[in-house]
Every structure is written in C-alpha cells, then in structure tokens.
Amino acid sequence: MIGLTSLWINGRTLVSPELNRRRALVVLGKIDEILSWEQAKEHERDERFVELGEYLCEVRAGQYWRLENLKSFDEFLEKRFPESRRKAYYLMAIHEHLTRIPKRQLREVGWSKATELIKVARRDGAEFDCATWLHKAKELPKQDFKRAVECHLTGKETEPWEIVYFKLYKSQLPVVEQALETAALMLGSDKSRGYCLEMICADFLAGAALENGRSEQDTGCRSSSSKSFVNSDRAVSAERRQDE
C-alpha cells in the first residue's frame, strides 16, 4: 500500500507515465494550431480558450513535452507562451475548476470573465453556485462583473475606478516615488499607491486651507491695526487743534 501511494504527489504521478507518442503528436499539434490561429485572429481568441486549456492539462498529465526532448512542463510553457506563462496556467485552471459549466457557455462568457469565475469556484468549493454566477457573467459588463466577484470574495463593496494618465519628467520621479513610499510607511504597506496619493493630496489641501485661514486672519489683524492707527491719528490731530 505504501509503495503504491508513494507514487503520487498532490494527485499527480511521481513516476513518469508511459509516453503515448501518437496521442502526444496530435495534442501538441492542436496546441500549436490554436496558438497560430490566435496570432492571426487576435480579436477572436476567446473562441478556443476552453479547448486550449483542456489540451494543456493533458500535456502536463501525459508528459507529452518529453516528445520534444524538453526537461519539464514549465520549459514546454516557456516555449509556447514566451510572453507570459501565467495565461497558460489560467487556461488550465478554467478547465480544472469550471467543470460544471458546459464548454459552449464558457465560450460565450469569454476568457476574461472565466478567469474571474475561477476565483469564486476556488473560494466556494462544493458550494459554488455555477448557474447564478454564469448568469451574472453573461448579463453584467466586464468591470461590473469583476466588482461583483470582488465583493463576494471580500464582503466589501468596491467603488468604480479608472486609470489616470499624466506625464512626469524623469527629474520629478524621485520626488514622487519618495512621497509615495513615505506615505506607505505611515499608512501601512497594504495600502495601494492610489490610496497613498489620495492621502498626500488630502494633506496638501488641508495645509492649503490652513494657510488660507491664517492669511485671512493676518489680513484681519492688519486691518484692525490700521483702523486703530487711523483712529489714534485722528485723536492726536483733534487734540492739537484744541491746543491751538
């Protein structure tokens, strides 16, 4: 019994499976076909992401990468996904965690929403309500669906957000970076850079308001002093006239 169970680690075989060369050639050819097709039709890539994830899982399980004299599955991914292996692992996760959703409906939902569904499926496990979440994925715009997932995972409502672009000169970057790092130290490293920037701006506005208050107060004091001086000067002039 010990000898048999020791051949498995986390559901995967410790020993190499017998290489099915014929099937390996078919699957590797399918992967290359889909990747080439993606490059030619980037705007339609969502159509085959489900199929690609399924094939990648089979390559890992059957160790088909050995057919190309590669040392590991990671080396296979580096070869097929030179820009980012993360995408490949997302594709495989879609195949592994969203098994209760028909492939046709996953294709309709699209790649980006499917990656959000993975987060819910992992969190909820056997309690994952795939019908409800599939309906939300179909009905909600991408950003709204992403906020719904975030709310479900954290229990907090998330605000709508947007990315703001503006130009900084290289000479300005050290000051900005130092300000953000200092704010992060004061507020906590878990705070986002956007939140740190907001607090820096809020502190500036508070300081500006305080300076304006002081300026108005100083103006009032100068005005009162000026009035006192005028009144005093008038009194001295009246006394002089009386003396004359």
Side-chain angles (χ1 to χ4, degrees):
M1 188 68 177
I2 295 175
L4 289 175
T5 56
S6 65
L7 297 179
W8 294 81
I9 295 180
N10 295 330
R12 299 177 190 172
T13 55
L14 182 61
V15 296
S16 300
E18 184 178 351
L19 182 60
N20 186 336
R21 299 182 65 85
R22 186 173 181 179
R23 177 61 183 171
L25 285 170
V26 172
V27 172
L28 294 176
K30 286 288 186 181
I31 290 174
D32 289 337
E33 176 191 343
I34 294 172
L35 291 176
S36 298
W37 182 87
E38 275 192 327
Q39 293 173 359
K41 298 186 177 181
E42 186 70 16
H43 63 285
E44 298 178 10
R45 63 184 177 182
D46 276 355
E47 293 295 324
R48 301 185 72 179
F49 73 92
V50 180
E51 185 182 2
L52 182 56
E54 181 180 0
Y55 284 136
L56 287 171
C57 286
E58 186 175 345
V59 169
R60 182 178 63 185
Q63 297 189 1
Y64 295 167
W65 41 266
R66 290 158 51 201
L67 192 67
E68 299 181 352
N69 296 320
L70 299 175
K71 296 179 181 178
S72 65
F73 180 64
D74 279 341
E75 189 174 348
F76 169 80
L77 292 183
E78 287 179 5
K79 181 179 179 182
R80 293 306 198 285
F81 297 85
E83 296 180 358
S84 174
R85 283 180 294 172
R86 185 180 181 184
K87 177 183 177 180
Y89 283 112
Y90 266 127
L91 291 168
M92 294 163 68
I94 289 170
H95 174 70
E96 292 175 325
H97 293 280
L98 302 180
T99 55
R100 293 160 58 189
I101 301 177
K103 294 179 181 179
R104 178 182 58 80
Q105 292 182 318
L106 273 178
R107 293 189 190 99
E108 292 174 359
V109 165
W111 148 261
S112 59
K113 288 184 179 179
T115 59
E116 296 297 321
L117 283 172
I118 293 171
K119 300 175 184 177
V120 181
R122 282 174 172 168
R123 160 75 178 275
D124 294 354
E127 298 179 358
F128 175 51
D129 187 354
C130 61
T132 299
W133 281 103
L134 183 62
H135 176 74
K136 289 182 179 180
K138 289 180 178 179
E139 296 298 321
L140 294 176
K142 183 167 63 175
Q143 289 301 328
D144 291 345
F145 180 68
K146 188 173 183 179
R147 282 197 293 271
V149 171
E150 186 70 18
C151 179
H152 178 73
L153 297 178
T154 64
K156 300 177 181 178
E157 288 287 348
T158 55
E159 294 183 57
W161 57 271
E162 62 181 57
I163 298 176
V164 179
Y165 296 93
F166 55 88
K167 182 174 71 175
L168 285 175
Y169 292 104
K170 289 186 177 180
S171 60
Q172 296 173 314
L173 283 176
V175 177
V176 175
E177 289 290 343
Q178 186 177 359
L180 291 172
E181 289 173 6
T182 303
L185 290 173
M186 297 173 65
L187 300 170
S189 58
D190 60 321
K191 302 299 182 183
S192 67
R193 289 167 68 88
Y195 179 80
C196 292
L197 179 59
E198 179 190 0
M199 291 301 101
I200 292 171
C201 294
D203 187 61
F204 173 81
L205 291 174
L210 184 61
E211 287 298 323
N212 288 336
R214 287 176 179 172
S215 298
E216 291 175 0
Q217 186 177 3
D218 291 344
T219 302
C221 290
R222 286 195 296 270
S223 178
S224 298
S225 299
S226 181
K227 289 179 181 178
S228 298
F229 177 79
V230 170
N231 291 335
S232 176
D233 185 60
R234 287 176 179 174
V236 171
S237 299
E239 289 177 359
R240 283 178 180 175
R241 285 195 298 270
Q242 287 177 357
D243 292 338
E244 291 174 354

